[in-house]
Amino acid sequence: QVQLVESGGGLVQPGGSLRLSCAASRSIFSINAMGWYRQAPGKQRERVAAITSGGSTNYADSVKGRFTISRDNAKNTVYLQMNSLKPEDTAVYYCRAPYEGYEYWGQGTQVTVSS
């Protein structure tokens, strides 16, 4: 079992930055393809970024060049650095970890981009 706790969300002006953290309750060394997802009101949850255990990354087209996903296996934490934020980035952001055939999700952290 894996428990995930997100933090770092908040209210930021357009063009601003935030860094989200996802702390896992166990070692993430062998957990592949950890990812960040988001869900805006009235919309489906979408994948924002993912990172493999080897460090390969991929991003949704809407965030390429603005967001960076990284992982620190020693701290059992995955990060999402978000720069040049736009109002359309407003959503609840969730961390996901696949582990032993199951999917684990955090409780989410709210990101609001507004002036």
Side-chain angles (χ1 to χ4, degrees):
Q1 206 171 24
V2 182
Q3 292 180 330
L4 303 170
V5 179
E6 301 99 335
S7 61
L11 173 64
V12 63
Q13 291 187 341
S17 298
L18 284 174
R19 187 176 82 152
L20 305 183
S21 299
C22 170
S25 61
R26 56 156 291 124
S27 171
I28 64 170
F29 181 79
S30 60
I31 298 179
N32 202 17
M34 293 193 67
W36 284 96
Y37 290 69
R38 67 186 181 187
Q39 187 165 21
K43 294 189 177 181
Q44 289 189 327
R45 190 172 295 189
E46 63 173 350
R47 189 171 74 172
V48 174
I51 184 167
T52 68
S53 56
S56 297
T57 59
N58 64 72
Y59 299 91
D61 287 343
S62 59
V63 307
K64 280 181 182 176
R66 300 188 297 123
F67 290 11
T68 302
I69 188 171
S70 60
R71 62 193 289 164
D72 186 336
N73 291 338
K75 294 182 178 180
N76 299 330
T77 301
V78 177
Y79 302 98
L80 185 68
Q81 177 67 44
M82 306 186 295
N83 298 328
S84 302
L85 283 161
K86 304 176 181 180
E88 50 263 43
D89 295 318
T90 296
V92 178
Y93 284 70
Y94 298 91
C95 180
R96 172 190 174 272
Y99 179 68
E100 293 189 343
Y102 293 90
E103 282 190 345
Y104 294 92
W105 295 85
Q107 81 290 349
T109 185
Q110 176 70 46
V111 171
T112 302
V113 184
S114 175
S115 55

